[in-house]
Amino acid sequence: MMRQLALFLAGLLMISAAPAPAQVTFDGFLQGLYGGRLDKNNPTATEQTASETRLQLRVQHTGASGEFFGRLDFVFDGADTASYDWELREGYLKFRLGSRFDFKVGRQVLTWGTGDLIFINDVFAKDYRSFFVGRDDQYLKEPQNALRSEYYSPLGELTLVWSPRFEPNRLPTGDRLSYYNPFVPGIVGTGLSPLYYFDPPQPEPEFKNAEIAARLSRDIGGFNVSLYAYHGFYKNPMGAYVVMVDNAPQFVPYYPRLNVFGASARGTLAGGVLWTEGGYLDSRDDRDGKSPLVPNSSVTGLLGFERQVATNLTANIQWQLDYMTDYDKFSAQQPQGVFVRDEVRHLLTSRITKLAMSENLTLSAFGFYSPTDEDIYVRLSAAYKYTDEITIAAGGNLFAGRHENTDFGQFQKNDNVYLKLTYNY
């Protein structure tokens, strides 16, 4: 945390020392977010999914030879135990070397790929705690410390990202959002026991555990086409190992090693936007599918299309397939009485967005439905821009599932609604 603060202050010093002419801008927002769960049987420690006041400060300096950008959040959180916190959301330096190289160094939000809330080759960390309680969409993309370089050549744009320390997804911990524990088995939260606070150990801070991601992209026939590669870990703790405690086995979750190789294309077609993406997830810790405690390798792909269907009304649809390799070994290793996923998992999504009242009112609905897992997740929101500074928003997150151990079925007790007021300055 002190290192992050030092980076932010270093940027401010650079601003103060920068020679004229230079462009420096300051802005940000103050926001109150309040939400509560709808299911009284949810085994969490609090009924409040959000009760926070957030102040964000943004500063940007653009000079002749480079750019500094900083985004710092201060938060008072009273959903459970009242606490204060701050986070350097972004703090990076960006500059060009020669005519072909760009560099971006520091804490930054990284993203690529074509899916709408479906991530195949976008292997950068996500914050699902924020996503499920109504924080702004910008908080889904979790920042991480990285060195990003881009090289422009006649073959295309080559991007390399090196993250010296693995950054996992932020998942529900059990205090305000419950989750499925396969070793109970069942849906658990800290309202049942503090032992259900979910905080798995991360890979050791060693250089061999760094993350490396690459993308090569260029336009071909009106479509932006990209190739991807990633070397690191699964972002969720999808593996487990066994340790003996008092002569009894205990399962410890961990982040298995992972390679991803994929491709995508996105362009305009039939009056709308078409995209497709695919990837091979190489489970480095269990390439033969022998271990029941480590995920098998898989091949996944998606197809999506979006267009404006009426004035100020836009809709899209996506279809994703996920094929598990060595499925026979996987299914034979599963315990009795637990739902076992299909060899090919299907996921359908759709986003509908409507603008009204001179585009000051935005209504949005996003639905995920898996016919094979038999679960569903719906995000609803309405945001009204009262003035240029003040926005009032309300929404909800609704989950349902036939089984407790599927992606969305495990959150079926986390239905919640929220109210959010934002003042931009």
Side-chain angles (χ1 to χ4, degrees):
M1 182 174 291
M2 293 305 298
R3 189 175 301 173
Q4 296 171 347
L5 179 60
L7 178 60
F8 191 79
L9 294 176
L12 293 178
L13 290 173
M14 289 184 62
I15 291 173
S16 62
Q23 296 182 350
V24 182
T25 59
F26 293 89
D27 60 11
F29 64 80
L30 177 68
Q31 183 179 83
L33 171 64
Y34 312 98
R37 69 188 188 194
L38 301 178
D39 189 339
K40 290 188 175 298
N41 295 318
N42 197 357
T44 53
T46 173
E47 292 185 348
Q48 299 182 359
T49 52
S51 180
E52 63 185 37
T53 300
R54 180 181 301 270
L55 174 64
Q56 182 174 102
L57 306 175
R58 287 193 297 254
V59 58
Q60 182 173 15
H61 169 272
T62 303
S65 57
E67 172 187 333
F68 162 77
F69 181 79
R71 196 153 55 99
L72 184 63
D73 277 19
F74 298 90
V75 183
F76 171 79
D77 185 351
D80 189 5
T81 302
S83 62
Y84 298 87
D85 196 7
W86 67 273
E87 181 181 27
L88 182 63
R89 298 286 302 173
E90 290 185 275
Y92 61 77
L93 308 174
K94 186 177 179 181
F95 60 94
R96 169 158 289 192
L97 188 63
S99 60
R100 292 183 179 272
F101 288 95
D102 279 344
F103 291 92
K104 192 174 179 182
V105 184
R107 192 153 183 80
Q108 54 192 288
V109 173
L110 299 160
T111 185
W112 58 38
T114 62
D116 187 3
L117 298 181
I118 295 179
F119 308 105
I120 297 177
N121 295 292
D122 183 345
V123 287
F124 307 111
K126 312 293 185 300
D127 184 352
Y128 291 101
R129 298 175 206 163
S130 295
F131 190 64
F132 291 153
V133 301
R135 293 193 182 111
D136 292 349
D137 287 349
Q138 64 169 290
Y139 290 96
L140 172 62
K141 302 295 177 63
E142 182 183 339
Q144 57 190 82
N145 299 327
L147 167 61
R148 173 176 177 145
S149 64
E150 293 180 272
Y151 173 67
Y152 305 97
S153 77
L155 292 177
E157 179 182 328
L158 176 63
T159 305
L160 297 175
V161 177
W162 176 65
S163 299
R165 182 75 192 271
F166 169 71
E167 196 78 42
N169 287 340
R170 297 178 184 177
L171 302 173
T173 57
D175 54 356
R176 67 187 70 187
L177 296 172
S178 56
Y179 64 93
Y180 179 79
N181 185 325
F183 305 113
V184 173
I187 295 174
V188 300
T190 56
L192 295 175
S193 168
L195 295 176
Y196 291 128
Y197 185 81
F198 190 58
D199 186 20
Q202 297 184 26
E204 296 296 323
E206 302 173 354
F207 281 111
K208 68 177 183 180
N209 291 332
E211 297 178 273
I212 302 173
R215 179 186 65 178
L216 177 63
S217 62
R218 66 170 299 168
D219 289 336
I220 300 177
F223 279 74
N224 183 264
V225 179
S226 298
L227 301 175
Y228 306 90
Y230 168 77
H231 179 81
F233 300 84
Y234 282 91
K235 289 295 182 175
N236 294 343
M238 300 176 66
Y241 58 87
V242 180
V243 297
M244 299 301 293
V245 179
D246 297 331
N247 295 320
Q250 288 196 357
F251 297 93
V252 179
Y254 84 104
Y255 299 88
R257 299 180 301 160
L258 174 70
N259 289 329
V260 180
F261 307 98
S264 72
R266 182 184 180 94
T268 56
L269 187 72
V273 179
L274 176 74
W275 61 89
T276 185
E277 184 171 347
Y280 172 64
L281 280 66
D282 172 24
S283 180
R284 296 159 56 199
D285 287 350
D286 190 27
R287 285 182 166 132
D288 297 328
K290 294 180 179 178
S291 173
L293 300 179
V294 180
N296 289 9
S297 298
S298 61
V299 179
T300 185
L302 71 83
L303 180 66
F305 182 74
E306 178 179 282
R307 67 171 297 174
Q308 181 172 311
V309 295
T311 302
N312 291 330
L313 178 61
T314 303
N316 73 24
I317 187 169
Q318 295 181 117
W319 173 36
Q320 183 188 20
L321 294 173
D322 183 76
Y323 168 77
M324 176 185 288
T325 64
D326 298 304
Y327 180 78
D328 292 343
K329 297 177 184 176
F330 165 79
S331 59
Q333 296 167 340
Q334 300 309 300
Q336 295 289 329
V338 174
F339 169 73
V340 180
R341 58 157 284 183
D342 290 356
E343 183 175 18
V344 180
R345 173 189 286 156
H346 296 261
L347 177 65
L348 301 171
T349 79
S350 180
R351 179 196 293 269
I352 300 174
T353 304
K354 171 67 177 176
L355 302 178
M357 302 176 67
S358 302
E359 301 186 0
N360 288 319
L361 176 64
T362 302
L363 303 174
S364 176
F366 197 112
F368 298 80
Y369 169 63
S370 172
T372 49
D373 283 0
E374 300 179 276
D375 61 359
I376 189 170
Y377 169 43
V378 178
R379 287 167 49 87
L380 303 171
S381 69
Y384 177 65
K385 188 176 180 181
Y386 179 62
T387 67
D388 287 342
E389 292 82 19
I390 299 175
T391 300
I392 305 169
N397 294 275
L398 306 174
F399 304 86
R402 182 177 179 183
H403 312 286
E404 291 186 343
N405 61 336
T406 58
D407 285 352
F408 302 121
Q410 67 172 314
F411 301 126
Q412 57 189 267
K413 296 183 178 181
N414 287 323
D415 292 352
N416 65 84
V417 293
Y418 64 86
L419 176 66
K420 185 168 54 183
L421 296 94
T422 306
Y423 181 88
N424 294 285
Y425 62 90

